[in-house]
Amino acid sequence: MDTFMRVLIIAVLLGGIYGLVAMGLNLIFGVVRVVNFAHGELVMLGMYGAYFLNQVLGWNVYATMVIVVPAMFVLGLIIQRVVIQPLSGQTTMQLLATFGLVIVFQNSVLAITEGEAYSVSSSFARNTFDLGVAKVDYGRLVVLVATTAVAVALWWLIHKTSFGRSVRAVTEDRMAARLMGINVERTFLIVFGIGSALAGLAGVLLAPVYTLTPNVGQSFIFAAFAVVVVGGLGSVTGAYLGGFLIGLVEAFSGYYIDPRLGMAFYFGVFLLVLIIRPAGLFGRAGSEEMGA
Amino acid sequence: MVTMTEGAVPLLECSSVVRRFVGMVAVDQVSIKVNEGDVLGIIGPNGAGKTTLFNLLTGQLKPNSGEVFFRGERITGRPVHERARLGLGRTFQVVRPLPALSVLENTMMGAFVKHPKRRDAEAKAAEVLEEVGLAHVAKQRAGDLPLPLRKRLEVARALATEPVVLLLDEVMAGLNPTDIGKAVDLFHHLHERGVTLVLIEHNLKVVRTLSRHVVVLDHGAVLAEGTPTEVLQHPDVVRAYLGNRR
Amino acid sequence: MSTQVTPRTDALGSIAKTLRGGSAGASPALVWGLYAVSMAFLGLLLMIVQVDAYWLNILIMTYLFGGLAAAWNLIGGFGGQLSLGHGVYFAVGAYVVGITSTRYDWSPWLGMVLAVPIACAVAGLTSWPTFRLRGPFFAMATLALNQVALVLALYFDKVTGGPAGITMPFAPSLREAAFIERWKYGVLVLVYLMVAVALSTWMSRSRLGYALRAVRENDEAASAAGFHVFKVKMHGMLLSAGVTAVGGAIYAMYIRYIDPGSVLSLADVSVRLVLICLLGGIGTATGPVLGALLLIPAITLLQAKLSSQAPGLNLVAVGAMLVLIPLLMRRGIVGTVADLTRKATTRWSR
Ligand SMILES: Nc1ncnc2c1ncn2[C@@H]1O[C@H](COP(=O)(O)OP(=O)(O)OP(=O)(O)O)[C@@H](O)[C@H]1O
Ligand SMILES: [Mg+2]
């Protein structure tokens, strides 16, 4: 029973991480209808940003978010404006271009750091908190809290603000939104910015938790894809809950079967959901036919 | 009312088909019969369920209840491509050209049904393009065509399958009077050639000239049925149209 | 409206069309004539290059990847099913040869033959569910397959040798497909490329090729025109997977070392095939060859030149290509050239 609880706790913490990364991805996915393969790399850039400010300027890691988050917002605007928007309507080309960004970002960082791995030291994040059955480090706990806060904030943004109203209108029907006088391109731009900013936030929060390598983004992105598919296209709640589901699958299959197979298992779930309910567990039916 | 030859099996028939979408019934207990050689007009206000009915006949959608028959054979569960091979040709209201391919290639796609060899399919397609008056743009990309020609390409691709019955979904919407005239001539010609036609049309003048039998749909149900003149004087029809003007 | 087409412009137009791969109208003699000429050119190139071991190696990889890209193009280009998981079929080819030859002392040639049905079975089983997905969802699912295959190949080390991989002994003989004369590998990959391109050329003119293009352009219109969309995609995929597996088998014969990190690498296999087609022209019969002729030497040279300066710099260039080609030349070299000639011919024929 203790082991079970311990694995459960690990699963929940892991789910928080995946959910955080997935929410930004899913926001972009749901609204702009672009699968941003480079989302994991945006997280990675956020991590390196936090590391840089922490090491060079001596800032507290968590404080670096005041710079990293806006910077990633701007990077998101640039990607949307320069790469995604010119390719609007060409799903395949958008997909390949974002894949190109993955390779560019990963290898630029590799070239600059010459392959050396870094880690951010934060005594706070390393401190553990005893839950009886398991010790939980504050770093991961912060992620879990932040994931929940972000989910609530996003929900509020989308459902309670006027910007959210235009986001929903654009998601529902672009053409109609345009006729209603909503500036669709601008909405896309801002949403892409917000999604990237969330990746930046995830980067800052994960910097003390993970060792920094140029391809660290891959450790979350595949899980985040699974989350998006499981949770449903464009659904905030889906991404939040889906994160935990994938976390559970990975932690339990990892503990009870073999950790090296964790990914194969959640991909199994991913494929299963794609097949049984392509719109995801929380998404609207029919939305999987995007690009058609 | 137009009476059918008793005992003859209708070419295409649906009986009490129902199709629901979230929170609505798009097609509600509709039964229609199309005999060989008919030109059946389907009219009705926007959102009446005309296109949905077509989708049920051709298999793009499956009915929640009710049956579809072709030459007396039940085809309710059969997939779209099988029905196309049986002889159900259709055009799409929202045109679906294969944009990167040429007009000739677009038309060939239909021709492969009866002509598996490329060369034969190409010859058939060229013939159809001649018939519908698209031969002069045969080598252009379908995506580059103006809308009236894209509408005609829909007809060409359907016609290339050599259908027994051709379902035409608002092929004249958005055309100017000259193009409408040409299209009417084409459909007269096809009818004379023996193709059975079912056409959804908003333009009542066109319906009057082409079809002797009309079905009026409103809110998914058959509101009236009969000759164009009868039907268009029917008080319910007048009300439905006046009440739902575009 | 009717345009007067002079014989000269018509010939030009049909060559352009032939290159593009949409060859309705181009005569078989012209199409296969062009094929013969280009293959003869590639043969000549091999004869010239084979004196230099460094360049011969590059050329061998070029022809191998040209054939692989042509195989990907069958479903990815003609059929528009953007598979990011072709590394799986490549790996099946390589592993079947590696395992059967080291463990059971099979001739690699026999392994190659066995690899085809196995790859087709894998492709059939995985495509059966994933073909329901469209656009990015299909791409994501196939990418997932590649990653799952990687995890499994690393995990089942009893079968695959795990991360350490499989080394095939080099005992020179035809039976072992091990040649001291490296040019023989050149002939092998040339034959492979010829078969793959012949298949694409045939495909671009066959009913299946048209059906795949119809499905790519609009699957609902395709089914209304009488095509069984699922079956069409499946046939394209099986053909593609089979040819890809042969390429993987040839890779194993040539490199004689197979490990998950190389044969299931996204950047070096799955994505590279897409990039080659993208550069040459997705969905054209000749695009994959042209793309490989440019990309593989470029990648190899970049790797030699740039990675000595900083690790990964060569891949930055590769990634940049993947971003820039869609933005600047999304129809690839062949498509762009065909567009230009089309413009030119319509101008002259006015
Ligand atoms: N796939 C679908 N999902 C949900 N609702 C649908 C779907 N297709 C049609 N509907 C709804 O069903 C109703 C009937 O639509 P349909 O397209 O059949 O009407 P129509 O008579 O063809 O109209 P129009 O004259 O505008 O073409 C409409 O209210 C429409 O919104
Ligand atoms: Mg309609």
Side-chain angles (χ1 to χ4, degrees):
Chain A
M1 202 56 209
D2 276 4
T3 7
F4 180 83
M5 286 308 291
R6 195 154 52 234
V7 179
L8 191 65
I9 290 166
I10 292 173
V12 169
L13 294 173
L14 200 58
I17 292 173
Y18 292 160
L20 183 59
V21 177
M23 275 190 285
L25 181 68
N26 206 12
L27 182 67
I28 294 174
F29 202 5
V31 179
V32 192
R33 300 273 163 117
V34 169
V35 180
N36 183 16
F37 274 117
H39 197 76
E41 275 55 45
L42 297 180
V43 176
M44 180 271 292
L45 290 177
M47 291 172 80
Y48 275 90
Y51 172 83
F52 177 80
L53 293 171
N54 172 266
Q55 292 294 305
V56 176
L57 304 181
W59 289 19
N60 176 301
V61 210
Y62 293 104
T64 63
M65 73 173 67
V66 298
I67 297 217
V68 171
V69 173
M72 295 305 291
F73 179 81
V74 173
L75 181 60
L77 298 186
I78 295 172
I79 294 176
Q80 164 67 18
R81 187 65 198 80
V82 176
V83 180
I84 307 296
Q85 194 179 313
L87 295 174
S88 67
Q90 305 169 44
T91 333
T92 307
M93 295 298 155
Q94 283 176 334
L95 199 90
L96 293 176
T98 65
F99 214 96
L101 290 177
V102 171
I103 302 178
V104 169
F105 288 149
Q106 269 187 23
N107 291 288
S108 304
V109 172
L110 177 66
I112 293 166
T113 63
E114 309 215 305
E116 197 184 330
Y118 300 128
S119 66
V120 172
S121 55
S122 160
S123 49
F124 166 76
R126 291 277 144 84
N127 269 344
T128 54
F129 170 84
D130 204 339
L131 275 179
V133 288
K135 288 197 174 109
V136 174
D137 63 71
Y138 281 97
R140 284 170 196 262
L141 210 56
V142 166
V143 176
L144 184 60
V145 171
T147 307
T148 311
V150 166
V152 172
L154 267 186
W155 185 88
W156 176 82
L157 180 75
I158 289 172
H159 293 274
K160 298 285 166 200
T161 65
S162 67
F163 173 69
R165 201 160 50 238
S166 53
V167 168
R168 274 179 293 144
V170 169
T171 313
E172 205 65 47
D173 186 343
R174 272 175 215 201
M175 297 285 249
R178 200 164 267 141
L179 291 177
M180 282 159 61
I182 293 171
N183 186 336
V184 175
E185 275 67 37
R186 212 179 67 109
T187 310
F188 282 178
L189 200 59
I190 295 173
V191 165
F192 210 104
I194 295 175
S196 308
L198 287 176
L201 177 67
V204 170
L205 299 179
L206 293 175
V209 179
Y210 281 78
T211 302
L212 278 68
T213 62
N215 58 5
V216 66
Q218 303 290 305
S219 16
F220 329 112
I221 193 66
F222 285 114
F225 274 152
V227 171
V228 167
V229 167
V230 169
L233 180 79
S235 155
V236 174
T237 337
Y240 182 71
L241 297 177
F244 294 115
L245 184 65
I246 293 299
L248 283 171
V249 171
E250 185 175 336
F252 277 91
S253 66
Y255 185 82
Y256 289 100
I257 303 169
D258 194 305
R260 288 175 297 163
L261 284 179
M263 185 148 117
F265 279 102
Y266 66 67
F267 270 132
V269 175
F270 164 107
L271 286 177
L272 211 66
V273 172
L274 271 181
I275 291 153
I276 298 170
R277 213 183 124 76
L281 301 178
F282 301 88
R284 286 180 304 134
S287 48
E288 75 281 7
E289 298 197 345
M290 53 181 287
Chain B
M1 290 291 278
V2 167
T3 50
M4 278 176 25
T5 338
E6 282 305 320
V9 179
L11 183 63
L12 181 63
E13 181 183 4
C14 63
S15 64
S16 318
V17 284
V18 176
R19 173 68 203 203
R20 293 186 201 92
F21 291 119
V22 193
M24 68 173 312
V25 187
V27 170
D28 193 5
Q29 300 281 349
V30 172
S31 304
I32 59 166
K33 286 190 172 115
V34 186
N35 290 311
E36 191 119 31
D38 270 0
V39 180
L40 174 68
I42 295 182
I43 63 172
N46 289 117
K50 305 179 295 293
T51 299
T52 307
L53 179 63
F54 263 23
N55 287 335
L56 294 173
L57 293 173
T58 57
Q60 256 87 17
L61 293 172
K62 300 278 179 293
N64 296 100
S65 66
E67 302 285 353
V68 184
F69 300 93
F70 183 77
R71 291 198 159 126
E73 189 190 342
R74 187 174 161 276
I75 57 166
T76 319
R78 299 260 211 119
V80 179
H81 63 95
E82 277 183 23
R83 298 190 204 196
R85 297 184 151 265
L86 282 175
L88 253 75
R90 78 163 299 173
T91 67
F92 290 96
Q93 178 177 8
V94 179
V95 291
R96 290 172 201 249
L98 314 173
L101 306 180
S102 73
V103 169
L104 180 68
E105 286 167 328
N106 265 264
T107 314
M108 281 169 71
M109 296 304 178
F112 277 115
V113 167
K114 292 273 161 67
H115 308 277
K117 289 236 169 62
R118 193 193 103 254
R119 200 183 279 272
D120 305 341
E122 199 175 325
K124 174 69 196 175
E127 195 181 294
V128 170
L129 289 180
E130 200 66 57
E131 190 172 23
V132 303
L134 282 175
H136 63 291
V137 290
K139 292 198 169 176
Q140 276 187 33
R141 264 168 52 103
D144 296 341
L145 290 184
L147 183 69
L149 296 191
R150 262 187 280 165
K151 290 238 167 195
R152 227 184 288 172
L153 178 58
E154 282 289 317
V155 179
R157 197 176 53 217
L159 213 50
T161 65
E162 300 174 38
V164 181
V165 51
L166 185 55
L167 308 173
L168 301 159
D169 195 349
E170 297 198 24
V171 278
M172 300 190 211
L175 302 195
N176 65 33
T178 329
D179 286 330
I180 289 181
K182 280 189 205 160
V184 170
D185 289 345
L186 172 64
F187 297 138
H188 266 307
H189 162 74
L190 291 177
H191 179 226
E192 271 158 28
R193 231 185 58 190
V195 182
T196 304
L197 299 175
V198 183
L199 46 106
I200 294 177
E201 222 8 277
H202 274 296
N203 186 329
L204 299 177
K205 224 169 95 195
V206 170
V207 177
R208 243 189 250 271
T209 37
L210 279 171
S211 48
R212 261 154 297 163
H213 193 73
V214 175
V215 170
V216 188
L217 285 186
D218 187 29
H219 292 295
V222 177
L223 188 66
E225 198 174 346
T227 65
T229 324
E230 281 169 9
V231 152
L232 293 177
Q233 284 165 351
H234 197 292
D236 288 347
V237 175
V238 174
R239 204 172 312 123
Y241 264 87
L242 291 180
N244 288 289
R245 268 272 162 78
R246 287 202 214 210
Chain C
M1 272 301 275
S2 73
T3 41
Q4 289 290 318
V5 183
T6 67
R8 190 184 74 156
T9 56
D10 200 33
L12 248 181
S14 60
I15 290 179
K17 250 198 148 177
T18 313
L19 283 172
R20 235 178 348 121
S23 33
S27 77
L30 182 65
V31 171
W32 292 107
L34 265 172
Y35 170 79
V37 169
S38 27
M39 291 304 131
F41 168 76
L42 295 179
L44 198 67
L45 195 61
L46 178 64
M47 278 166 68
I48 295 167
V49 162
Q50 57 94 14
V51 292
D52 181 316
Y54 178 75
W55 280 100
L56 177 61
N57 176 50
I58 291 181
L59 201 68
I60 289 173
M61 288 317 248
T62 303
Y63 288 3
L64 177 61
F65 272 87
L68 287 165
W72 180 88
N73 194 45
L74 294 176
I75 184 68
F78 289 113
Q81 305 300 306
L82 197 79
S83 163
L84 294 175
H86 263 52
V88 176
Y89 314 126
F90 178 80
V92 166
Y95 271 112
V96 169
V97 165
I99 292 167
T100 56
S101 71
T102 54
R103 189 101 35 100
Y104 308 107
D105 196 32
W106 283 27
S107 160
W109 301 107
L110 201 56
M112 178 197 273
V113 173
L114 179 67
V116 173
I118 294 184
C120 287
V122 172
L125 286 175
T126 53
S127 302
W128 175 73
T130 50
F131 271 158
R132 295 210 220 162
L133 308 170
R134 295 191 192 186
F137 284 87
F138 181 78
M140 255 163 68
T142 50
L143 183 69
L145 286 175
N146 195 96
Q147 297 312 99
V148 170
L150 180 62
V151 170
L152 296 179
L154 288 169
Y155 183 75
F156 290 104
D157 50 3
K158 294 250 163 50
V159 185
T160 62
I166 296 173
T167 307
M168 288 165 63
F170 187 83
S173 72
L174 182 60
R175 182 196 182 270
E176 293 303 320
F179 308 112
I180 293 179
E181 307 88 342
R182 310 297 281 173
W183 60 266
K184 288 186 178 167
Y185 287 112
V187 174
L188 179 59
V189 290
L190 180 62
V191 170
Y192 174 63
L193 179 70
M194 284 169 71
V195 171
V197 175
L199 207 58
S200 318
T201 309
W202 165 80
M203 176 80 110
S204 69
R205 303 165 59 76
S206 72
R207 180 171 180 275
L208 178 60
Y210 276 96
L212 280 165
R213 271 173 280 178
V215 168
R216 173 188 76 198
E217 295 291 312
N218 190 315
D219 54 3
E220 280 193 67
S223 62
F227 292 119
H228 188 329
V229 172
F230 180 83
K231 216 155 106 185
V232 166
K233 288 195 222 175
M234 190 56 100
H235 285 168
M237 179 59 98
L238 293 181
L239 211 54
S240 173
V243 181
T244 307
V246 172
I250 294 175
Y251 172 88
M253 293 172 179
Y254 178 58
I255 303 291
R256 305 198 88 78
Y257 172 68
I258 306 143
D259 72 310
S262 11
V263 294
L264 286 163
S265 153
L266 284 176
D268 291 345
V269 186
S270 291
V271 174
R272 182 172 294 180
L273 302 186
V274 184
L275 183 55
I276 291 172
C277 291
L278 189 63
L279 178 63
I282 285 188
T284 66
T286 38
V289 182
L290 271 179
L293 279 174
L294 287 172
L295 194 77
I296 300 298
I299 286 180
T300 320
L301 294 183
L302 277 175
Q303 193 164 357
K305 286 252 158 23
L306 291 182
S307 59
S308 57
Q309 293 177 19
L313 214 51
N314 56 319
L315 289 176
V316 174
V318 171
M321 261 191 273
L322 205 46
V323 178
L324 291 177
I325 298 171
L327 285 169
L328 304 177
M329 201 180 67
R330 76 188 167 84
R331 304 205 42 228
I333 296 167
V334 174
T336 310
V337 169
D339 276 356
L340 293 177
T341 49
R342 190 215 309 266
K343 269 190 201 129
T345 51
T346 42
R347 193 171 315 131
W348 288 339
S349 59
R350 284 246 162 82

